[in-house]
Amino acid sequence: LREVKGEHKEEDLLNMAALDEDEYLIECITDHRGDRLETLEFKVSWAGYDESEDTWESVEEVKSSTALSSYLENNPELKEIIGNYGDDDDDL
């Protein structure tokens, strides 16, 4: 997963994703499950794909995305579970 920074049109994002088959863009995080860091997963909606293609991803996979930051703003209770996970390389 690779985060794309800055303002982009949806068409531009889809074109960027099409350039690399192994890279997918997170459109948003729609849900979560699990109540501990070891079991916590996020339901990811992928840019350019319909809802049937959503997948459950670990904290490790989404930790640096702006989608996770946005999701945590609306779900502050998860901030306690995640804490500073990923802030230094020893946590990885």
Side-chain angles (χ1 to χ4, degrees):
L1 304 177
R2 180 177 38 145
E3 180 178 7
V4 177
K5 298 192 185 279
E7 296 292 320
H8 299 281
K9 295 178 187 173
E10 183 176 354
E11 181 180 341
D12 294 337
L13 293 173
L14 295 175
N15 288 336
M16 283 185 249
L19 293 175
D20 189 343
E21 293 178 2
D22 297 328
E23 296 284 336
Y24 300 93
L25 298 173
I26 297 175
E27 183 173 317
C28 65
I29 293 175
T30 60
D31 200 2
H32 70 277
R33 63 184 179 192
D35 58 0
R36 296 187 336 250
L37 184 60
E38 298 80 19
T39 60
L40 189 60
E41 292 182 313
F42 295 93
K43 190 171 187 181
V44 174
S45 176
W46 301 101
Y49 294 88
D50 64 41
E51 194 175 304
S52 68
E53 300 291 330
D54 290 358
T55 59
W56 289 97
E57 303 294 336
S58 69
V59 174
E60 177 67 26
E61 294 297 324
V62 299
K63 70 181 180 198
S64 62
S65 71
T66 55
L68 179 59
S69 298
S70 296
Y71 190 79
L72 292 177
E73 289 299 317
N74 295 317
N75 297 276
E77 72 281 3
L78 295 177
K79 290 181 181 181
E80 287 185 35
I81 296 172
I82 295 175
N84 294 325
Y85 179 78
D87 282 355
D88 71 64
D89 292 336
D90 293 338
D91 292 342
L92 303 179

